[in-house]
Amino acid sequence: MNKKLIALAGLLTCLTLVGCAAPAPTERRNPSFTTVAPPSPKPTHSSDATPVADGIVDTVYVQVFPAATFTAKHGCRCTLPDSTQELFPQKTPVIFLRVTMIGEWKPSQGGQTYQDVTGTTLNGTKFDGRPEPAVLDTVDGPTAAKAAGLPWLPTGLFAGKSDWTIPNNKERSFAAAWYLPAGVDRLLLTVDVPSEGQPLQLIVPLPASATQSANASRE
């Protein structure tokens, strides 16, 4: 009897001090499954960026993506009326944009899978607060577009084609670049797609770095 009491006391002491926990069961793995490492983060594609301006007139949805700036290696060789001074000389900041067009189907088109954008231009684009049209950098702009992997203007996007079309729900992009005047902070971009019936006008805010660069270049 005394031996049983001593054994019971020893058992209680074990439970009190260490809990006498049983060893954890060995983890069993199902041989039919293989552990796979989580996928690596995907690089952000340019199309994943948030547009700074967008809009639609009828069946062509237009997006404008964040601007970049570069310094013109050549002047515009243009002047204002009654002036002989070059309007945008060498080293003028240039604003560079990516413009994307996406076809939008509407029920009246039946099974049509594309939209006609023949003759699209950016004519009428200007900077807010400036009376004159914005001046495209047609010298350095195409080089910058090529470096970015983009065609220059709509004419470059559809080079060699008489009929310009874009597929529904798929983007087609081109680049454009304008000399940047001092004292402006918004580009009033006009995307004129003749088949839409009227031009689309978008307000594109300019990044502070661009406006500061333009103002500094005139000091």
Side-chain angles (χ1 to χ4, degrees):
M1 183 68 178
N2 290 338
K3 291 181 179 181
K4 290 182 179 180
L5 290 175
I6 292 172
L8 179 60
L11 178 61
L12 291 174
T13 301
C14 174
L15 292 172
T16 301
L17 295 177
V18 299
C20 289
T26 303
E27 182 181 356
R28 295 183 180 181
R29 295 181 181 274
N30 189 329
S32 63
F33 290 91
T34 303
T35 302
V36 180
S40 301
K42 294 181 179 179
T44 302
H45 190 270
S46 57
S47 62
D48 295 333
T50 302
V52 293
D54 66 321
I56 187 171
V57 172
D58 187 20
T59 60
V60 178
Y61 175 48
V62 178
Q63 295 176 310
V64 182
F65 288 91
T69 57
F70 63 86
T71 301
K73 294 181 179 179
H74 307 83
C76 68
R77 297 182 181 178
C78 58
T79 61
L80 288 174
D82 303 322
S83 174
T84 58
Q85 184 177 359
E86 188 173 31
L87 184 58
F88 298 112
Q90 182 183 15
K91 296 184 179 181
T92 295
V94 177
I95 193 75
F96 180 89
L97 295 176
R98 178 167 71 91
V99 181
T100 292
M101 299 188 294
I102 302 172
E104 295 286 338
W105 176 84
K106 61 181 180 181
S108 63
Q109 293 179 327
Q112 183 172 314
T113 60
Y114 64 89
Q115 302 302 327
D116 178 20
V117 295
T118 303
T120 297
T121 72
L122 304 180
N123 296 341
T125 296
K126 64 180 184 178
F127 288 96
D128 191 18
R130 300 281 297 211
E132 75 279 359
V135 179
L136 283 165
D137 182 354
T138 58
V139 179
D140 299 313
T143 302
K146 184 177 181 179
L150 293 168
W152 171 248
L153 301 180
T155 51
L157 179 59
F158 301 101
K161 299 180 180 179
S162 56
D163 295 325
W164 301 359
T165 61
I166 56 173
N168 292 335
N169 302 318
K170 292 184 179 180
E171 66 178 41
R172 293 292 182 267
S173 299
F174 61 87
W178 291 268
Y179 293 102
L180 187 58
V184 299
D185 57 9
R186 303 193 304 177
L187 177 71
L188 306 181
L189 176 65
T190 297
V191 182
D192 189 358
V193 182
S195 64
E196 293 286 87
Q198 66 182 48
L200 173 66
Q201 296 181 324
L202 299 173
I203 297 176
V204 181
L206 304 177
S209 58
T211 56
Q212 291 169 1
S213 177
N215 294 336
S217 69
R218 302 305 193 278
E219 293 178 354

